[in-house]
């Protein structure tokens, strides 16, 4: 064994997986997990813990894995995270815990994410149940949204003894975990539903098909239904578009709609009645993780897929692993290219996009070099479907129906990062509803801060 290199993780062959929706990565088995855990240096001042947004005691759980004490490892992770099987699959560990790993200075960092996934999967297969509060305090807290921030906040509060109810607008809980991330990256039945069940085993109640701000307001939850505090973790589900000609044509989707239709409504399955326009030649506009998810979904539905991104590969915001997998599967990358018009036929269906080549100028506010059009470089790409993956913003329904709740110019709720407190007393918020579209783990961090803020607030009442 070369201690400077990670134990390789097994994956589906690229040509095979490009035709199915089964999980790409197989993860570690017991022997592989123990072998990888032995590479850990057991640092006394572990930088990896500081790189974890939810502060998992990483050296301690890895030590238990090395010893073959998998239930003990699961208990360590459960102290800090309600969604370990999710995080082990979709967190950008390379820029967080693994990015801080000392082993990575002279070799490859420990595969912390894959070890977390192994422990979580072992836990599920062996019926591990996280410890719940010994006593309830009888105080009611409402959570709006059952995505990663809402589930995390709910789990932490339940462990503190609160009576917690989550209100979810859709018919299935999970938020972006259920509707946004494809099955081949995050299995819904095996992983997402199982982790939600673990949150419910802590005593959390989940009510689906409840649209807060329309069916019941936050004021009514607090004034009429006895909730002493509310956490808003409603995400950012409102898609952004470019505002170019032809964008309202048939065959133009937001990535949000496309993935929701495929994931939540199972449109990728032949035995479901929900249709999806698969397309024969698809352009996905954008370069983030959601763009990769949409591109790889369209590919599996039989299309030739092009990712159209206005910067170079070095500026792609998607995880390196996701870009690598997309390329392996056959997704074509048209970089330094930007749409200027969507072309349509006589029936207003997409028949192509007019694009222009770009070059990189000086850095902009994001620190990335600003893309600049090259005059006279326009050309037409022959496509029949366009998926816009340009980010999302929060739906204004809750802010419009909750007096005293301040929002910023991006329509995001204004809340303090350290405790989630909004401008409205007793109302807390976190995740994408506050930051705009971000990662699962950052939403979970916000949920933890919100739970801490609510506990401190109610403890003083």
């Amino acid at each position: 064994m070369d201690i400077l290199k990670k134990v390789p993780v097994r994956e589906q062959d690229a040509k095979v997986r490009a035709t199915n929706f089964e999980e790409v990565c197989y993860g570690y088995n017991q022997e592989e997990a123990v072998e990888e855990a032995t590479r850990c240096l057991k640092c006394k001042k572990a930088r990896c813990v500081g790189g974890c947004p939810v502060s998992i005691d990483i050296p301690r759980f890895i030590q238990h894995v090395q010893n073959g004490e998998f239930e003990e490892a699961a208990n360590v992770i459960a102290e800090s995270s309600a969604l370990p099987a999710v995080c082990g699959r979709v967190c950008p560990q390379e820029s967080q815990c693994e990015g801080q790993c000392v082993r990575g200075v002279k070799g490859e960092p420990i595969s912390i994410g894959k070890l977390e996934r192994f422990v979580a999967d072992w836990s599920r297969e062996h019926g591990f149940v996280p410890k719940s509060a010994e006593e309830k305090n009888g105080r009611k807290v409402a959570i709006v949204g059952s995505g990663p921030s809402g589930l995390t906040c709910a789990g932490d509060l339940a462990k503190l003894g609160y009576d917690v109810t989550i209100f979810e607008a859709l018919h299935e809980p999970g938020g972006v975990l259920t509707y946004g991330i494809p099955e081949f990256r995050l299995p819904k039945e095996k992983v997402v539903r199982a982790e939600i069940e673990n949150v419910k085993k802590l005593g959390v109640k989940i009510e689906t098909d409840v649209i807060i701000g329309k069916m019941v307001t936050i004021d009514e939850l607090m004034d009429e239904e006895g909730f002493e505090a509310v956490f808003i973790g409603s995400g950012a589900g409102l898609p952004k578009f470019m505002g170019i000609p032809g964008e309202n044509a048939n065959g133009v989707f937001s990535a949000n709609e496309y993935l929701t239709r495929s994931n939540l409504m199972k449109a990728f399955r032949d035995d479901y009645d929900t249709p999806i326009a698969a397309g024969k030649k698809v352009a996905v506009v954008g370069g983030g993780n959601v763009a990769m998810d949409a591109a790889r979904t369209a590919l599996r539905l039989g299309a030739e897929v092009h990712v159209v991104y206005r910067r170079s590969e070095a500026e792609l915001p998607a995880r390196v692993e996701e870009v690598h997998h997309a390329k392996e599967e056959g997704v074509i990358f048209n970089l330094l290219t930007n749409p200027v018009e969507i072309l349509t036929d006589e029936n207003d269906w997409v028949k192509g996009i007019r694009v222009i080549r770009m070059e990189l100028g000086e850095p902009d506010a994001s620190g990335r070099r600003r893309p600049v059009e090259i005059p006279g470089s326009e050309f037409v790409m022959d496509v029949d479907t366009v998926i816009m993956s340009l980010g999302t913003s929060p739906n204004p329904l809750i802010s419009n129906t909750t007096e005293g709740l301040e929002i910023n110019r991006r329509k995001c709720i204004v809340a303090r990062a350290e405790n989630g407190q909004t401008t409205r007393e007793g109302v807390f918020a976190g995740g994408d509803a506050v930051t705009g579209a971000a990662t699962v783990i950052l939403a979970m961090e916000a949920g933890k801060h919100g739970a801490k803020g609510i506990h401190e607030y109610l403890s003083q009442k």
Side-chain angles (χ1 to χ4, degrees):
M1 173 187 174
D2 184 349
I3 62 168
L4 295 181
K5 290 190 175 180
K6 293 180 177 182
V7 174
V9 66
R10 293 161 292 114
E11 294 180 343
Q12 265 201 85
D13 178 79
K15 288 182 180 177
V16 175
R17 70 178 190 247
T19 64
N20 66 53
F21 280 80
E22 293 165 20
E23 193 167 14
V24 168
C25 178
Y26 293 131
Y28 285 148
N29 60 28
Q30 288 192 25
E31 293 76 18
E32 291 164 339
V34 171
E35 186 178 345
E36 179 63 19
T38 62
R39 297 181 59 236
C40 180
L41 295 171
K42 318 295 186 299
C43 305
K44 289 186 178 177
K45 292 186 178 179
R47 291 177 7 192
C48 56
V49 178
C52 174
V54 296
S55 302
I56 293 171
D57 190 339
I58 293 167
R60 189 155 62 99
F61 102 73
I62 289 180
Q63 180 68 67
H64 283 307
V65 174
Q66 183 180 338
N67 297 341
E69 300 161 350
F70 305 134
E71 184 170 348
E72 289 85 347
N75 276 314
V76 171
I77 294 173
E79 291 169 6
S80 304
S81 176
L83 305 170
V86 169
C87 288
R89 286 167 166 83
V90 304
C91 276
Q93 290 99 4
E94 64 277 2
S95 62
Q96 293 175 338
C97 54
E98 292 180 19
Q100 297 294 318
C101 177
V102 172
R103 173 61 81 191
V105 174
K106 290 186 178 179
E108 294 180 347
I110 306 302
S111 288
I112 298 168
K114 297 294 188 290
L115 290 175
E116 181 182 18
R117 168 187 166 154
F118 165 75
V119 172
D121 289 354
W122 182 93
S123 301
R124 181 181 66 252
E125 290 159 9
H126 290 80
F128 171 81
V129 178
K131 295 172 184 174
S132 57
E134 292 181 8
E135 289 185 25
K136 294 290 184 183
N137 60 26
R139 308 187 79 169
K140 291 173 64 179
V141 178
I143 310 284
V144 182
S146 63
S149 66
L151 289 169
T152 299
C153 186
D156 279 14
L157 287 170
K159 284 187 278 190
L160 290 168
Y162 290 93
D163 180 356
V164 184
T165 303
I166 298 176
F167 297 96
E168 168 56 49
L170 296 175
H171 62 279
E172 285 280 352
V176 70
L177 307 175
T178 297
Y179 68 74
I181 302 174
E183 186 77 10
F184 54 82
R185 274 220 296 143
L186 188 62
K188 304 296 169 262
E189 196 69 36
K190 184 176 79 172
V191 175
V192 178
R193 186 166 290 185
E195 301 239 295
I196 291 171
E197 285 302 314
N198 275 344
V199 173
K200 289 168 72 174
K201 286 172 185 174
L202 294 171
V204 174
K205 297 182 284 292
I206 301 179
E207 293 188 22
T208 56
D209 298 308
V210 180
I211 302 173
I212 301 297
K214 186 173 185 180
M215 297 165 68
V216 60
T217 65
I218 283 177
D219 287 324
E220 288 168 342
L221 287 176
M222 299 180 82
D223 297 342
E224 298 174 19
E225 298 195 25
F227 291 99
E228 295 184 66
V230 176
F231 177 81
I232 302 169
S234 50
L238 205 60
K240 296 177 182 176
F241 288 90
M242 293 184 71
I244 59 176
E247 215 166 22
N248 291 325
N250 298 315
V252 178
F253 294 85
S254 69
N256 207 18
E257 177 195 353
Y258 190 81
L259 289 169
T260 300
R261 191 173 278 271
S262 175
N263 298 329
L264 181 65
M265 304 169 85
K266 305 292 189 293
F268 66 88
R269 283 176 49 172
D270 293 336
D271 56 337
Y272 269 69
D273 294 333
T274 319
I276 191 167
K280 293 180 180 176
K281 290 187 74 174
V282 175
V284 178
V285 181
N289 289 325
V290 176
M292 297 307 120
D293 286 343
R296 296 171 70 197
T297 296
L299 185 89
R300 282 160 170 76
L301 292 171
E304 175 186 304
V305 182
H306 295 254
V307 167
V308 179
Y309 180 61
R310 62 186 185 150
R311 290 184 167 97
S312 73
E313 183 164 351
E315 287 80 28
L316 277 169
R319 292 182 69 189
V320 172
E321 182 181 51
E322 300 308 316
V323 176
H324 170 68
H325 280 154
K327 286 182 175 179
E328 275 191 328
E329 291 162 8
V331 173
I332 302 159
F333 283 74
N334 294 90
L335 303 170
L336 290 166
T337 306
N338 203 37
V340 292
E341 181 184 6
I342 296 172
L343 307 175
T344 58
D345 63 17
E346 63 277 6
N347 296 316
D348 203 31
W349 280 90
V350 173
K351 68 174 185 179
I353 51 172
R354 190 184 308 281
V355 297
I356 190 166
R357 297 198 187 280
M358 313 292 282
E359 60 184 358
L360 296 179
E362 295 300 312
D364 61 14
S366 72
R368 295 178 299 172
R369 293 172 66 193
R370 185 188 301 277
V372 180
E373 293 183 354
I374 301 174
S377 65
E378 291 188 11
F379 66 100
V380 172
M381 293 178 64
D382 174 28
V383 299
D384 59 17
T385 304
V386 177
I387 301 171
M388 292 292 184
S389 182
L390 307 167
T392 53
S393 60
N395 190 311
L397 181 61
I398 290 175
S399 57
N400 286 346
T401 57
T402 309
E403 203 168 322
L405 192 65
E406 185 182 338
I407 58 172
N408 61 23
R409 60 182 179 79
R410 296 186 299 132
K411 304 289 191 290
C412 295
I413 297 169
V414 174
R416 292 170 62 183
E418 67 272 18
N419 62 7
Q421 177 66 60
T422 69
T423 52
R424 171 74 184 270
E425 186 184 347
V427 178
F428 298 74
D432 291 4
V434 171
T435 60
T439 61
V440 167
I441 190 65
L442 290 178
M444 290 175 62
E445 179 184 33
K448 290 188 80 66
H449 290 168
K452 178 173 172 283
I454 288 170
H455 181 53
E456 289 172 352
Y457 167 72
L458 293 179
S459 296
Q460 293 166 7
K461 281 190 75 176

